[in-house]
Amino acid sequence: KNMGKYYSLCYLHLKLVTFVLNIVLQFEFRINKEQSSFHNRLLQHDLEKNYSGRQDNTNFGSSSSISFPVLQRTAEEKILSSDRLTLERQKLTVCPVIDGEDHLRLLNFQHNFITRIQNISNLQHLVFLDLYDNQIEEISGVSTLRSLRVLLLGKNRIKKISNLENLKNLDVLDLHGNQITKIENIGHLSELRVLNLARNLLTIVENLNGLDSLTELNLRHNQVSAIVRKKTLCLFIFDFFSFFEDILCLADSSSLSDITLDGNPIAQETWYKHTVLHHMMQLRQLDMKRITEEERRMASVAARKEEERKRESHKQTLLKEKKRLTICNIARQWEIQQNRIALVASLNQDKDNEPCQINGSDSYVFPEESRSLNTILSSAVQGLSVLESHLVEVEGDTLCLYGAGALECLDRNWSVQTAGIIVTVSFTFIEFDEIVQVLTKLKTKFPNSVHLKFKETNLVTLQQFNALGQMHRIEQLTVDPQGNPVVSFTLWKYYVLFRLNHFNLQKINGVKVTENDIVMAERLFGILAYVASSELPHYRMLSLFGESRRKQFHYLLEGKGKKSGIGSEESSDNRRNGGESTTRATLSYTTKDFHMEKLEEIKERKTFCQTYVENLVKEAADINMKNESLQKLWPQMFIELVRDAVIEIRNKNSYMKLCLQRITDQKQ
């Protein structure tokens, strides 16, 4: 298809040359831009007449002579074609001396073996010179041909454009099929309209300034990868562009009306036509086809969509970069925090200035140095906190939480649609103890979540997996080895299967759970739940269960079932009903903060009880001492009471008066 287009262009170009020739012959070569049209009037009759390949009767000198052959035509031949001379396919190796032909205007040396242009300097009126398909290596011998308008040097061996300084009236220059590597020495050709440089070795389009009349530039079958701006070009033909940006500078050319890019790699792209039309609104033709208003409108719409797509792509790129920087910042905060915890733990463990180990390296830490290092770490954390310290992101059906601050998102009002599509929840750079505190919110906010992922969450003990029992449903569990030392335990997966047996887990770390795994988990840890439940006080166990669980527990205590089989039957029932077994529920987990709070509460209760008992003991001791004293004093007191009573009632009248007086005093 591309070769067919190329041959069509060659044919068009040949007819173009014929048209120029006729204009030169009929109007004495005084042409202007208004009277020229390279694409509308092509004269096939003159093409056949002027390039029919006829062989004139010529009379050459001896070929063995050292001097150049001399061409002399008869008077009759001159009358037939007085201003034209065709010498094509004559097997010439040199240009013959043309004598008595000063009035010659057209000279044709096509398809010979000429290696150098010479012996034509006397043809001052020559306007058309055709040396197509020869072996010329250098442009020379044409400096005196000031009237020359058409110079055809295609299919030769020319490597450099040169010696055209005096050809200021040149209108057509054909240099296709040579070995030219650079466009140069043509800036003075202000009348040049057609320049054919196809099938050369060009890589850069440059040095076109000064070619004010240039309307057609053919650069097919080169290796062009860049263009230096040219604002007055009307037809541009290229052949090696892979990116639209390589020719974007042509959009500044206000006079650019026709452009042909078919055959270029960019012409194979789906967006090619719309993009070119959008950026080059002044075009009338693209790839030799007239552009309609509908095509312009569609190109404008497509270009707007492309711009929106690019803006969205740029926005997504910025968001990805912001996400990357935020995650890096969270990771640095996490690392500093872990180093700080390790430092504090080492100092608490070793207070006698013994070597301590942080992140696998031994170092001797003095109290002053440890305080200084702790201050530095604290300052570093404060400095990083200025940047984003957490990230919440929804990717498809996955909710990604980075940093402890991300847990606050569970307090937001999530739309029903968004909350409903969340299947996987991923925790990264968050302490597991902080995650435990929001598990109840998690199952409420995202009821369809069935997959939990933990990375850099400080899962260090099997007991921590007990906290996941409060979730309503888990089908998959992923615990990344990075930042979770518990994964290094050989039996951690079996413990998870045992403790979370009521969830009927399908996969752990991407590996499908089999029935053999479940049986092995029961064998390894089945006794653990029984021991834990048997050692736990009844009131503690009752506090773990709801009303239905309490009934099950009472049933268990009353022994209404075989001891050996009740555990497995209960496990099966609970797995079918989606509930947690009573014995496994005793395997709970309390976070460090909750444990500390419990310890503080227990300490306060202990202090209160101790104070209360001490007060009771003191009060009882005082009562006992008073009782003992009373027992000692009571006999004497009784005697005195009896004596006073006898003395008072010894005189009956006086006693009665005394009693009446007391009553009277009380009433007053």
Side-chain angles (χ1 to χ4, degrees):
K1 182 180 178 181
N2 291 335
M3 288 302 295
K5 290 184 179 180
Y6 175 72
Y7 291 140
S8 299
L9 286 174
C10 289
Y11 182 70
L12 180 62
H13 181 64
L14 191 56
K15 291 193 288 184
L16 171 67
V17 172
T18 305
F19 174 72
V20 174
L21 175 61
N22 280 272
I23 293 295
V24 170
L25 294 177
Q26 294 177 16
F27 298 96
E28 296 181 354
F29 314 109
R30 294 179 181 180
I31 58 176
N32 51 48
K33 294 180 181 179
E34 289 77 12
Q35 295 173 327
S36 64
S37 175
F38 291 157
H39 301 291
N40 297 331
R41 296 184 299 168
L42 302 174
L43 304 178
Q44 180 65 29
H45 175 71
D46 287 337
L47 175 66
E48 296 174 354
K49 179 179 178 181
N50 295 328
Y51 300 102
S52 60
R54 68 176 182 83
Q55 181 174 350
D56 291 332
N57 294 324
T58 55
N59 184 17
F60 293 101
S62 175
S63 60
S64 62
S65 175
I66 299 177
S67 61
F68 292 102
V70 178
L71 172 64
Q72 291 181 347
R73 294 194 296 173
T74 64
E76 295 177 354
E77 290 174 340
K78 290 182 179 180
I79 292 174
L80 292 175
S81 56
S82 61
D83 56 356
R84 303 182 185 185
L85 178 59
T86 299
L87 296 173
E88 67 175 288
R89 302 185 188 278
Q90 297 296 322
K91 300 182 180 180
L92 298 175
T93 58
V94 295
C95 294
V97 176
I98 303 175
D99 192 16
E101 301 281 355
D102 295 343
H103 58 283
L104 201 63
R105 297 191 177 193
L106 185 150
L107 181 59
N108 183 1
F109 283 117
Q110 283 190 20
H111 307 294
N112 284 287
F113 303 99
I114 299 172
T115 59
R116 185 178 179 184
I117 306 173
Q118 53 191 349
N119 300 326
I120 60 173
S121 59
N122 59 317
L123 305 177
Q124 297 296 319
H125 298 287
L126 192 67
V127 295
F128 189 101
L129 177 58
D130 190 350
L131 287 160
Y132 173 76
D133 191 17
N134 280 276
Q135 299 179 8
I136 299 171
E137 297 182 357
E138 181 184 5
I139 302 175
S140 61
V142 296
S143 59
T144 61
L145 306 179
R146 299 180 183 274
S147 299
L148 194 64
R149 304 299 296 270
V150 179
L151 178 58
L152 307 179
L153 293 171
K155 202 174 179 182
N156 279 279
R157 301 177 181 178
I158 300 171
K159 297 181 179 179
K160 183 179 180 180
I161 304 175
S162 60
N163 300 319
L164 300 176
E165 290 78 9
N166 296 330
L167 305 185
K168 296 182 179 180
N169 295 321
L170 201 61
D171 189 79
V172 177
L173 178 59
D174 182 10
L175 294 170
H176 82 276
N178 284 281
Q179 303 171 19
I180 299 171
T181 59
K182 184 178 181 181
I183 301 175
E184 56 186 339
N185 301 321
I186 59 173
H188 61 286
L189 302 177
S190 59
E191 298 296 323
L192 188 67
R193 291 191 298 168
V194 178
L195 176 59
N196 187 356
L197 291 170
R199 296 187 181 277
N200 278 280
L201 305 175
L202 298 173
T203 57
I204 300 177
V205 180
E206 58 183 343
N207 299 326
L208 298 180
N209 294 328
L211 303 181
D212 300 332
S213 301
L214 188 64
T215 58
E216 179 176 336
L217 174 61
N218 191 336
L219 292 171
R220 283 186 175 277
H221 301 288
N222 279 277
Q223 299 176 2
V224 177
S225 59
I227 303 173
V228 177
R229 210 169 275 195
K230 175 71 173 69
K231 293 189 177 181
T232 59
L233 198 58
C234 292
L235 178 58
F236 233 95
I237 305 175
F238 292 107
D239 193 47
F240 204 72
F241 289 110
S242 301
F243 303 100
F244 180 75
E245 289 75 9
D246 296 334
I247 61 170
L248 189 58
C249 62
L250 295 177
D252 296 335
S253 179
S254 58
S255 62
L256 182 62
S257 59
D258 304 337
I259 186 169
T260 301
L261 293 166
D262 62 314
N264 287 272
I266 59 172
Q268 308 300 322
E269 300 292 343
T270 56
W271 47 261
Y272 156 69
K273 188 172 184 178
H274 292 157
T275 304
V276 172
L277 293 182
H278 175 68
H279 288 86
M280 303 180 185
M281 300 297 294
Q282 73 278 22
L283 289 180
R284 296 194 307 268
Q285 288 191 125
L286 175 61
D287 295 336
M288 303 185 73
K289 294 180 181 179
R290 179 166 290 279
I291 301 169
T292 64
E293 290 301 321
E294 179 64 18
E295 288 176 332
R296 293 184 191 278
R297 188 188 65 80
M298 300 233 358
S300 180
V301 173
R304 284 197 298 269
K305 290 182 179 179
E306 181 66 17
E307 288 295 328
E308 291 175 0
R309 187 193 65 80
K310 288 182 179 179
R311 283 196 296 269
E312 184 62 25
S313 177
H314 181 65
K315 180 181 178 181
Q316 293 299 324
T317 302
L318 293 178
L319 290 176
K320 288 181 180 179
E321 181 63 16
K322 182 179 179 181
K323 172 185 174 182
R324 186 188 66 81
L325 293 176
T326 301
I327 293 176
C328 289
N329 177 56
I330 296 171
R332 287 195 296 270
Q333 289 190 21
W334 174 263
E335 183 178 359
I336 292 174
Q337 180 183 354
Q338 297 309 304
N339 288 340
R340 197 161 133 193
I341 293 173
L343 175 63
V344 172
S346 299
L347 292 176
N348 291 337
Q349 185 178 6
D350 197 351
K351 297 182 180 180
D352 297 327
N353 295 335
E354 294 182 358
C356 67
Q357 189 174 23
I358 302 178
N359 288 343
S361 60
D362 292 335
S363 59
Y364 194 79
V365 180
F366 290 95
E368 294 80 3
E369 293 179 351
S370 66
R371 285 194 297 271
S372 176
L373 182 57
N374 195 19
T375 303
I376 293 172
L377 292 174
S378 300
S379 301
V381 171
Q382 293 175 359
L384 290 173
S385 298
V386 177
L387 302 173
E388 294 290 342
S389 60
H390 66 274
L391 176 65
V392 180
E393 184 180 30
V394 178
E395 293 183 352
D397 61 354
T398 302
L399 174 65
C400 301
L401 305 178
Y402 298 88
L407 298 176
E408 297 176 1
C409 75
L410 299 177
D411 295 327
R412 302 175 187 171
N413 293 325
W414 291 79
S415 65
V416 177
Q417 182 179 2
T418 303
I421 65 173
I422 299 300
V423 176
T424 303
V425 182
S426 174
F427 302 93
T428 308
F429 302 121
I430 308 175
E431 286 284 349
F432 184 80
D433 287 357
E434 297 182 13
I435 297 174
V436 171
Q437 301 175 20
V438 300
L439 288 179
T440 53
K441 296 180 182 178
L442 186 66
K443 68 180 182 181
T444 303
K445 290 285 185 179
F446 308 104
N448 296 328
S449 60
V450 295
H451 184 189
L452 298 182
K453 291 183 177 181
F454 299 95
K455 181 178 180 180
E456 293 284 1
T457 55
N458 266 347
L459 269 167
V460 296
T461 64
L462 296 177
Q463 187 183 8
Q464 289 174 295
F465 288 114
N466 298 339
L468 301 180
Q470 59 185 297
M471 293 293 292
H472 70 285
R473 185 170 133 202
I474 300 178
E475 293 181 2
Q476 293 188 54
L477 180 66
T478 302
V479 182
D480 196 289
Q482 186 176 351
N484 296 306
V486 72
V487 179
S488 61
F489 298 169
T490 305
L491 303 178
W492 77 274
K493 290 184 180 180
Y494 293 110
Y495 183 79
V496 170
L497 286 174
F498 168 74
R499 180 60 186 85
L500 307 180
N501 178 269
H502 58 291
F503 288 144
N504 195 18
L505 285 170
Q506 302 297 315
K507 290 183 179 180
I508 297 179
N509 277 12
V511 180
K512 189 174 181 180
V513 176
T514 64
E515 287 296 330
N516 292 335
D517 294 333
I518 298 175
V519 172
M520 179 61 70
E522 290 291 337
R523 289 179 180 176
L524 290 172
F525 298 102
I527 192 65
L528 180 63
Y530 175 75
V531 172
S533 60
S534 61
E535 294 295 327
L536 199 67
H538 293 172
Y539 75 92
R540 288 289 306 279
M541 291 195 68
L542 290 173
S543 65
L544 296 174
F545 310 135
E547 186 62 28
S548 61
R549 298 290 180 83
R550 289 193 183 98
K551 293 180 180 179
Q552 293 179 7
F553 182 66
H554 284 303
Y555 182 84
L556 181 65
L557 292 178
E558 292 172 1
K560 295 181 180 180
K562 297 182 179 179
K563 293 184 179 180
S564 59
I566 193 170
S568 59
E569 292 174 1
E570 181 188 8
S571 175
S572 300
D573 293 339
N574 280 285
R575 287 185 64 185
R576 285 193 298 269
N577 299 329
E580 185 179 12
S581 71
T582 53
T583 54
R584 286 180 174 83
T586 59
L587 300 174
S588 60
Y589 173 69
T590 55
T591 63
K592 294 179 181 178
D593 294 338
F594 183 75
H595 183 65
M596 294 300 296
E597 291 177 2
K598 283 293 183 181
L599 289 179
E600 290 293 332
E601 184 180 351
I602 292 173
K603 186 177 180 180
E604 291 177 1
R605 289 181 179 180
K606 183 178 180 181
T607 302
F608 172 78
C609 293
Q610 185 175 359
T611 303
Y612 182 74
V613 171
E614 287 178 354
N615 291 335
L616 287 178
V617 170
K618 184 178 180 181
E619 185 176 355
D622 292 342
I623 293 173
N624 184 56
M625 290 178 63
K626 291 179 180 179
N627 186 39
E628 290 180 354
S629 300
L630 178 62
Q631 294 296 330
K632 292 179 180 179
L633 296 175
W634 177 247
Q636 184 62 32
M637 291 175 62
F638 183 76
I639 294 173
E640 292 179 358
L641 288 173
V642 172
R643 187 190 62 186
D644 293 340
V646 171
I647 293 173
E648 286 180 354
I649 65 174
R650 183 176 55 182
N651 188 347
K652 187 176 180 180
N653 294 328
S654 298
Y655 180 70
M656 292 174 63
K657 290 180 181 180
L658 180 62
C659 289
L660 290 173
Q661 185 63 36
R662 289 177 179 175
I663 293 171
T664 302
D665 293 339
Q666 288 179 356
K667 289 182 178 182
Q668 293 178 352

